[in-house]
Structures are given as structure tokens and as C-alpha cells.
Amino acid sequence: MGRRLLAVNADDFGFTRDVNAGIVEAHTKGILTSTTLMANGAAFDDAVRLAGEVPTLDIGVHLVLVGGESLLAGGRSFPKTVSELMKAVTLRQVRVYDELRAQMVKIFDAGLRPTHLDTHKHTHLFPPVLDAVVRLSEEFGVHWVRRPFDLPITGSPRAVPLTKRVVSRMFGSVRGQFHRKLARHGCRTTDWFAGFQITGRFQAEDVVHLLENLPEGSTEFMVHPGFCTAELQAARTRLKESRAEELAALVDPRVMETVKRVGIELCGYGDGLGGG
């Protein structure tokens, strides 16, 4: 069997301090290799401090156009849902490139050199957002971009809700044009992606099953770990207690044993995903 390279990436670095702490815990005591930082997150400064203290944690950018506030127009809120964002972009009420560029600049100005890009709620599946993302990828030299199309894994210990399966299939319908646009702009992506269908609902046995069925090549596994204290409880997000459950799964000894047993190479985007 060929090499199996795995980047385990936590979204939402900078969201709250307890989420930040959980991400660092999942990295130092578990299988997490990288994270993507929210420039408009309430705990951005805390995340930057932690990134400096834990240099082995690979840092990327979690570009945000849904939820939170604009960096260009401080105090102005972004649309609350993806459908509201699509409407606002169509009506030219959101300056997509300018908003996302401001987020990139803030992260670079903080002294960080991100290695990969993704978007909150996978909004770069929407062509106008993808246009801005690939432009920023070229401009800032951050060439790895997430491909949010779940790989097919059968026999999972937990049934995937119908709504998740339907949305995942909808994502897949734009796969061809998505990859063609990335290729035209010199962007890179992993061979595979996992995590969308089990976000907020996986435990250690689900991770073990994924690892045992990981295909050859490079895979990104998207996760959302965190500690769930009063700070996260007060935040606007549906992922609260589930973050602590994901954290427990990522540091579970059975998961690390499986990584070693099946010969998976854990790596970050800064490692070139194994030298690629």
C-alpha cells in the first residue's frame, strides 16, 4: 500500500479562548497537526500568543464571511447564514475580496506566516468567494486551499443524518469546476477530505474507523475541538458540548495507536504534506 498522509485540521482558532486551548491540547496530546485562524475572532490575540508558544502547530487562515463582524467596517455584522451571504454578494452588498484581504493582512501583520486557506461554512464553494480566495492564494503565496468534498467511507459506527448526506452531495456537484479553477491559479489541495458529515457528532471509534479506511495519498480531516466553558457557552455557535467530545476523541490513546498500527503519516501543510 502507498503512503497515507493525514493533516488533522481544527477550524475556528481565535473564536474563543476555550476553543483555542482545546485546539492546542488536541495538538500537544493528540493527533491534531494544524489549525486555521479567524482574523475576526474574539480570541484572535490569544490565538496569536498560543501560536508563538507552540511553533509545531501549523497555522492557516479561516476566512470568514458568515457570522462575526467585518474588519473593514468595524461593528458591521456579516450575514448570519450562507444563503443570506449569497444574496448579499449577488446584490454587491459585500466586498468579498476586500473583506477577505483585510483578514489575510491582519494575520500576516501579527507575525504569522500561514500555510493554508479554508473558509467558514465552506463559502468558497460559491464562485464569487472562490474567485477571491484563489486571487488571495496567489497574492500572498499561500497555495494550499481546502477541498471540502467528503471521501466515501462505508460502514461508519454512526449513521450520517439525511440532511448532511444531501448537502454533501450538493457540494460534490461543483467539484469539477472547483478543481479547475484552483488548478488555473496554481493552488494545491489534498487528494481527499473528511469530516463534514461527522462534524459535531464523532467519538473515538468514529476516528478509528476513518483511519482504518483512509485511502492512499493525502487527506485533510476537518475537526472542531475545544473546551466547553462559560465563554463558549455564551458564544453564537451550534458547536458547544460537541467540541469537548471531539477533543476527547482526538487525544484518545486508541486513536494514536491506530495511526501507528496502520502506518499513517501525520503532517501539516507546512511540512508540504510529506514533501509534496
Side-chain angles (χ1 to χ4, degrees):
M1 180 174 287
R3 296 173 70 190
R4 286 179 290 177
L5 313 173
L6 180 64
V8 183
N9 187 83
D11 290 2
D12 302 341
F13 199 41
F15 183 59
T16 60
R17 288 172 298 175
D18 45 5
V19 166
N20 293 348
I23 289 171
V24 170
E25 180 94 351
H27 174 63
T28 58
K29 297 183 180 179
I31 66 167
L32 190 137
T33 61
S34 61
T35 188
T36 40
L37 175 59
M38 307 173 84
N40 69 340
F44 174 82
D45 291 340
D46 180 67
V48 171
R49 175 185 63 81
L50 289 170
E53 293 177 359
V54 188
T56 54
L57 180 61
D58 190 32
I59 304 294
V61 181
H62 198 52
L63 295 164
V64 179
L65 291 169
V66 174
E69 295 182 351
S70 164
L71 295 182
L72 288 181
R76 182 172 65 81
S77 296
F78 283 134
K80 293 182 174 61
T81 67
V82 174
S83 59
E84 289 178 10
L85 171 68
M86 294 172 68
K87 179 179 178 181
V89 171
T90 302
L91 295 175
R92 299 186 178 182
Q93 295 171 341
V94 176
R95 295 157 52 195
V96 175
Y97 168 78
D98 293 335
E99 291 284 1
L100 298 185
R101 189 180 190 282
Q103 294 174 28
M104 295 287 291
V105 168
K106 181 175 179 179
I107 288 173
F108 272 84
D109 283 352
L112 300 177
R113 292 297 176 264
T115 59
H116 55 294
L117 305 174
D118 57 43
T119 57
H120 191 49
K121 305 293 185 183
H122 307 307
T123 55
H124 64 305
L125 289 173
F126 184 36
V129 179
L130 183 59
D131 288 341
V133 169
V134 296
R135 182 179 171 187
L136 291 167
S137 171
E138 287 187 300
E139 182 178 348
F140 287 87
V142 184
H143 298 298
W144 287 98
V145 176
R146 172 180 288 168
R147 46 158 299 160
F149 310 111
D150 259 4
L151 60 84
I153 295 288
T154 59
S156 174
R158 219 168 305 281
V160 177
L162 176 61
T163 52
K164 281 280 188 180
R165 285 184 276 131
V166 169
V167 173
S168 185
R169 284 197 294 270
M170 289 172 58
F171 284 2
S173 68
V174 301
R175 186 193 312 255
Q177 62 188 28
F178 178 91
H179 282 293
R180 285 191 293 272
K181 186 168 291 185
L182 260 61
R184 285 198 300 271
H185 290 269
C187 301
R188 304 186 65 184
T189 187
T190 55
D191 300 315
W192 308 97
F193 173 81
F196 173 74
Q197 295 187 53
I198 60 174
T199 291
R201 42 185 301 280
F202 72 76
Q203 297 177 355
E205 56 265 31
D206 302 285
V207 181
V208 167
H209 181 76
L210 171 65
L211 296 173
E212 290 178 336
N213 291 275
L214 205 68
E216 294 181 13
S218 59
T219 302
E220 178 189 356
F221 177 28
M222 175 187 70
V223 298
H224 297 81
F227 291 106
C228 189
T229 69
E231 187 173 352
L232 179 59
Q233 287 288 359
R236 295 189 62 173
T237 176
R238 68 179 180 85
L239 300 177
K240 294 185 178 181
E241 290 82 2
S242 66
R243 292 183 190 263
E245 294 173 359
E246 290 198 16
L247 173 57
L250 295 171
V251 303
D252 192 295
R254 292 171 292 173
V255 170
M256 183 57 75
E257 186 278 329
T258 304
V259 167
K260 295 176 181 177
R261 173 169 53 83
V262 302
I264 292 169
E265 300 176 50
L266 296 175
C267 49
Y269 291 88
D271 303 326
L273 282 174

